[in-house]
């Protein structure tokens, strides 16, 4: 039963894969830290998109980004549930270093709050996309609907603020 859905063609899929595949793979690599797992997750992302092909007219990079994040986090949860011994080892390491761990988190949190204080709301998203997710200036600009020079300027302001605190 198709309920007014259009069938996805191979050309549609190819276009989506070419356009969003590199971004999805980057996101999967970043979260999973394993090339084979990232490739598997990327395939799962595109399968989910095809399953919801009624959304094809409205898909955008943020949709793929969200689906990729969800798929990867689910894979990490499954991995953690299936390998208790590795999970126990990690928990023991964290327990041994709890005080230092919490101090590092607190210091980092305070530093980031100071850097992002008095900045525009989407500046933090720009920084995450560029510095953490590995987007180029052009990709970040396209995603944020801004010019490359606007992205560059916001990042420069953040770098100057960060230098004041380090």
């Amino acid at each position: 039963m198709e309920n007014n859905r259009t069938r996805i063609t191979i050309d549609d899929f190819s276009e989506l894969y070419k356009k969003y595949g590199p971004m999805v793979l980057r996101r999967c690599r970043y979260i999973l830290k394993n090339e084979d797992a990232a490739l598997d997750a990327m395939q799962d992302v595109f399968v989910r998109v095809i399953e919801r092909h009624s959304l094809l007219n409205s898909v955008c990079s943020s949709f793929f980004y969200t689906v990729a994040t969800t798929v990867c986090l689910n894979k990490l949860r499954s991995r953690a549930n299936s390998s208790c011994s590795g999970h126990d080892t990690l928990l023991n390491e964290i327990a041994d270093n709890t005080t230092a761990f919490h101090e590092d988190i607190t210091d980092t949190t305070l530093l980031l709050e100071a850097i992002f204080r008095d900045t525009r709301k989407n500046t933090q998203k720009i920084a995450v996309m560029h510095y953490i997710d590995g987007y180029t200036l052009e990709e970040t600009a396209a995603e944020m609907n801004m010019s490359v020079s606007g992205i560059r300027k916001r990042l420069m302001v953040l770098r100057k603020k960060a230098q004041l605190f380090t």
Side-chain angles (χ1 to χ4, degrees):
M1 186 170 181
E2 289 204 335
N3 293 344
N4 295 329
R5 289 182 179 184
T6 57
R7 286 187 134 349
I8 185 169
T9 66
I10 291 179
D11 291 336
D12 293 333
F13 179 80
S14 294
E15 186 178 326
L16 288 173
Y17 192 82
K18 286 176 190 172
K19 186 172 183 179
Y20 299 112
M23 178 200 65
V24 169
L25 184 58
R26 267 194 316 272
R27 183 66 178 158
C28 294
R29 282 177 179 150
Y30 177 77
I31 293 173
L32 298 172
K33 310 284 192 248
N34 177 298
E35 185 68 19
D36 291 335
L39 290 168
D40 288 343
M42 183 174 80
Q43 289 178 353
D44 291 346
V45 168
F46 280 93
V47 166
R48 282 193 182 184
V49 171
I50 290 171
E51 289 173 348
R52 294 173 178 87
H53 65 270
S54 63
L55 300 171
L56 280 181
N57 294 333
S58 62
V59 293
C60 59
S61 59
S62 61
F63 175 73
F64 275 94
Y65 189 85
T66 302
V67 173
T69 301
T70 303
V71 166
C72 291
L73 292 177
N74 287 341
K75 286 189 176 292
L76 287 175
R77 281 186 207 106
S78 295
R79 189 186 311 163
N81 289 337
S82 66
S83 65
C84 289
S85 63
H87 191 63
D88 291 341
T89 304
L90 178 61
L91 289 176
N92 289 334
E93 287 178 25
I94 291 172
D96 290 341
N97 298 307
T98 301
T99 305
F101 180 75
H102 287 298
E103 288 173 2
D104 288 346
I105 295 286
T106 302
D107 291 346
T108 303
T109 302
L110 292 173
L111 176 63
L112 289 172
E113 285 174 358
I115 291 170
F116 287 109
R117 189 176 301 125
D118 303 323
T119 60
R120 295 181 185 170
K121 280 186 173 183
N122 60 1
T123 300
Q124 184 173 357
K125 185 175 180 183
I126 291 169
V128 169
M129 289 172 67
H130 184 68
Y131 292 119
I132 295 176
D133 295 334
Y135 281 51
T136 64
L137 291 173
E138 293 79 12
E139 291 169 330
T140 305
E143 180 67 27
M144 298 302 296
N145 242 358
M146 294 176 62
S147 67
V148 173
S149 63
I151 298 294
R152 190 177 289 120
K153 185 175 181 178
R154 295 245 190 124
L155 293 174
M156 183 180 66
V157 168
L158 284 179
R159 279 193 302 271
K160 286 182 181 178
K161 285 178 93 175
Q163 288 173 350
L164 295 174
F165 294 104
T166 58

